[in-house]
Amino acid sequence: MKKLIALISFSFLGIFTNAQTTLSEAFSKSYTYESNKEYSNAIAAMNKVYDTESYSINLRMGWLNYLAGEYIKSQSYYKKAIALEPKSVEARLGYAYPTSALENWNDVVKIYEEILAIDVNNSVVNYRMGSIYYYRKDYTKAANYLQRVLNLY
């Protein structure tokens, strides 16, 4: 009986270790491809281990699709990451990139407001909100956000 339990334990350990190695290899390959601006290969490497329930994989796929110019796909991966980790500032910041590229500024403001609800002193988001309102010529709102940034420093 002990031999059977040990055999089953080693089998599961082997499967788990192999899955971790495969995942690490996929991430490693995707980073190498990304550094060479081979975004489709980086995406393909991650697709081999894609798991809809993985926050980190969805986050990575969002970033790679953004770099590849696949903005709608990028947004969908970031939305999955946000659904998996509802308090994630990182996924929301990522979502803002393709949304900005699509020039959907109202959606960008909405996602930044969500970030500020989680992290009111996020200097990056406060600065970006100040910039958005400045270019919209709403100088009062712009000044409020930019003053927060100045107060942090």
Side-chain angles (χ1 to χ4, degrees), residues 14-85:
I15 291 169
F16 178 74
T17 303
N18 187 38
Q20 286 297 100
T21 302
T22 303
L23 188 60
S24 295
E25 287 172 0
F27 270 91
S28 180
K29 285 180 183 178
S30 80
Y31 287 121
T32 300
Y33 286 129
E34 178 190 353
S35 70
N36 294 323
K37 296 183 177 15
E38 298 176 34
Y39 305 125
S40 61
N41 289 335
I43 291 167
M46 293 305 298
N47 270 331
K48 290 179 182 176
V49 295
Y50 183 71
D51 176 4
T52 58
E53 298 301 311
S54 171
Y55 170 78
S56 58
I57 292 175
N58 279 296
L59 198 66
R60 182 79 181 132
M61 291 294 282
W63 176 246
L64 292 171
N65 278 277
Y66 165 71
L67 292 175
E70 297 289 340
Y71 302 133
I72 303 297
K73 282 184 184 178
S74 175
Q75 285 178 316
S76 70
Y77 285 113
Y78 281 123
K79 283 181 183 177
K80 289 176 189 174
I82 292 167
L84 291 167
E85 294 290 337

Side-chain angles (χ1 to χ4, degrees), residues 68-139:
E70 297 289 340
Y71 302 133
I72 303 297
K73 282 184 184 178
S74 175
Q75 285 178 316
S76 70
Y77 285 113
Y78 281 123
K79 283 181 183 177
K80 289 176 189 174
I82 292 167
L84 291 167
E85 294 290 337
K87 296 283 187 186
S88 173
V89 169
E90 182 180 34
R92 284 176 172 80
L93 284 170
Y95 180 84
Y97 285 112
T99 307
S100 296
L102 293 168
E103 297 184 12
N104 186 345
W105 299 111
N106 291 330
D107 201 15
V108 171
V109 167
K110 180 180 173 238
I111 204 76
Y112 284 164
E113 287 172 345
E114 288 178 15
I115 292 170
L116 292 174
I118 297 166
D119 178 11
V120 71
N121 290 322
N122 188 300
S123 61
V124 170
V125 173
N126 277 297
Y127 176 78
R128 290 179 183 171
M129 287 289 277
S131 296
I132 289 169
Y133 283 110
Y134 177 82
Y135 286 108
R136 288 182 173 179
K137 298 188 186 318
D138 188 340
Y139 301 120

